[in-house]
Amino acid sequence: MALRPRPDSKRSWQPGHAPALLLIPLGLIVTVCVVDVLSPPHVHLGPLLVAAPAITVAFAGARVTALMGALAVAAQVLIGVLRGVLPTANIQAQIAALIVVSSICVTICVLRDRREQQLHRVRSVAEAAQSVLLQPLPTHTGPLRIAGLYIPAEEEADLGGDLYAAARTADHSTRLLIGDVRGSGLAAINNAALLLGAFRAAAHRQATLPRLAVHLDAAFRWDTSQWRSRAEPDTNEDFATATLLDIPDHEPVVHLITCGHPPPILLRGSRLTPLTAEASHLPIGFGGVFGITGYDVETFPFEVGDLLLLYTDGVIEARNADGLFYPFTERAPEWTKDDPDELLRHLQDDLLAYVHGHLDDDAAAVAIRRLAV
């Protein structure tokens, strides 16, 4: 599971999705016809027929709206015939007005449909870009079972500054990256793409974890400063917090480097242990600025059956209506027996329920369980 479920791309106003709604304009047409014919001569309800196409445009397409407009005009003609007033200027004016309003409603439907087609094409391109940028994590790698979750803060957005990736090495280990790029919008997406590209290009090589961290920091700084002349001051403030992990297949341990990122959580049974590194390095992008050339690797036990949770600050800093932070460390042990994908489904549902469906920041999480080799 790489992303939250997205709404159905088909329009909700299509008649096939809500056929019962057609009973509203149809019922209105029939009711107006019957009541108008049975009413005294001085009572005229025919003008109410204009509501039929006006209502239909809210949930149906151009063809159905045109059909309801035609039925409304036919009903107005029928009323004029049954009441013997069809030749009068009043009834003819009502028919003409009804035709005009129906035509306007159909025109609105056509324009809306074109707009929706454009938005659908744009969204398809965004989804394709998202699938390239934030590729799904492998379900299995070596003795590990992995799942990823990404929840954008914007309801209609698919991309953001949170990221994760995995790579397999020739030394029979799995390397993972989880990070959070500063800022939002296109700039954050660009920096996230840069960091992911640098990781995928280098993580599978034989280089050590510290050298990989140096590579990521250098690539990040080079891209953000390559067009700056030497005389210009370095005012760039882009950076990314990140955690790099290397999990060997045949050793019950996890090696990690933390660069200003929240510590992973190890779940063993009902016991929760934050893997807080003694040396927390500066975020990616700041290492080269301050002359950092080395990174310390921390090693923690990661045995068969253990569950490792990686996450971004969008999870732990989510607030409810009372301004209280999401109690992630209190709720995570409740799901420790679940598979990684099922655990993240629980996390997603619980987190969105806690914030009433509105996150102020993107949130990402990765769950990893070690199985027997």
Side-chain angles (χ1 to χ4, degrees), residues 272-294:
L272 181 148
T273 305
L275 303 186
T276 304
E278 293 183 5
S280 181
H281 300 282
L282 292 173
I284 299 295
F286 284 163
V289 175
F290 292 93
I292 297 175
T293 57

Side-chain angles (χ1 to χ4, degrees), residues 71-311:
L71 291 176
V73 171
Q76 187 72 279
V77 172
L78 178 61
I79 291 173
V81 171
L82 294 178
R83 301 192 65 163
V85 294
L86 186 60
T88 64
N90 183 40
I91 195 70
Q92 291 178 4
Q94 292 181 25
I95 293 173
L98 189 52
I99 292 174
V100 171
V101 172
S102 298
S103 300
I104 293 174
C105 290
V106 172
T107 302
I108 292 174
C109 283
V110 171
L111 295 176
R112 182 189 61 192
D113 289 349
R114 290 178 181 175
R115 180 62 175 169
E116 284 297 321
Q117 290 173 1
Q118 293 175 351
L119 291 176
H120 179 69
R121 287 194 292 268
V122 170
R123 187 170 182 83
S124 297
V125 173
E127 289 175 354
Q130 183 273 334
S131 64
V132 173
L133 174 60
L134 194 65
Q135 298 176 3
L137 294 173
T139 305
H140 291 87
T141 171
L144 308 178
R145 185 162 183 176
I146 304 176
L149 170 69
Y150 181 78
I151 310 177
E154 296 294 334
E155 184 176 355
E156 296 300 324
D158 290 328
L159 304 173
D162 288 11
L163 56 98
Y164 51 70
R168 188 75 178 156
T169 72
D171 292 335
H172 305 290
S173 70
T174 301
R175 286 181 173 173
L176 295 107
L177 163 71
I178 187 166
D180 184 1
V181 175
R182 173 188 177 271
S184 59
L186 293 177
I189 294 173
N190 177 71
N191 288 334
L194 168 67
L195 199 56
L196 286 169
F199 176 82
R200 290 169 182 147
H204 64 282
R205 299 177 182 173
Q206 302 296 327
T208 62
L209 206 59
R211 289 183 63 85
L212 176 59
V214 171
H215 170 77
L216 295 182
D217 185 86
F220 196 90
R221 292 300 305 172
W222 172 81
D223 186 81
T224 56
S225 62
Q226 58 177 318
W227 306 117
R228 178 176 51 84
S229 66
R230 295 183 178 180
E232 294 179 15
D234 186 359
T235 58
N236 181 61
E237 297 180 353
D238 291 337
F239 65 87
T241 65
T243 295
L244 284 167
L245 302 96
D246 187 271
I247 305 177
D249 289 354
H250 303 290
E251 291 183 70
V253 296
V254 54
H255 308 294
L256 63 86
I257 294 175
T258 302
C259 299
H261 201 74
I265 287 176
L266 181 71
L267 294 170
R268 179 175 296 165
S270 59
R271 188 175 62 187
L272 181 148
T273 305
L275 303 186
T276 304
E278 293 183 5
S280 181
H281 300 282
L282 292 173
I284 299 295
F286 284 163
V289 175
F290 292 93
I292 297 175
T293 57
Y295 290 83
D296 296 324
V297 178
E298 304 278 348
T299 300
F300 297 92
F302 185 37
E303 301 176 357
V304 174
D306 288 352
L307 187 68
L308 192 62
L309 273 177
L310 318 176
Y311 54 93

Side-chain angles (χ1 to χ4, degrees), residues 313-327 351-361:
D313 57 11
V315 175
I316 57 175
E317 294 182 0
R319 297 173 182 260
N320 62 9
D322 298 326
L324 300 177
F325 289 116
Y326 177 66
L351 177 61
L352 292 177
Y354 187 81
V355 299
H356 301 288
H358 177 70
L359 286 171
D360 294 326
D361 190 10

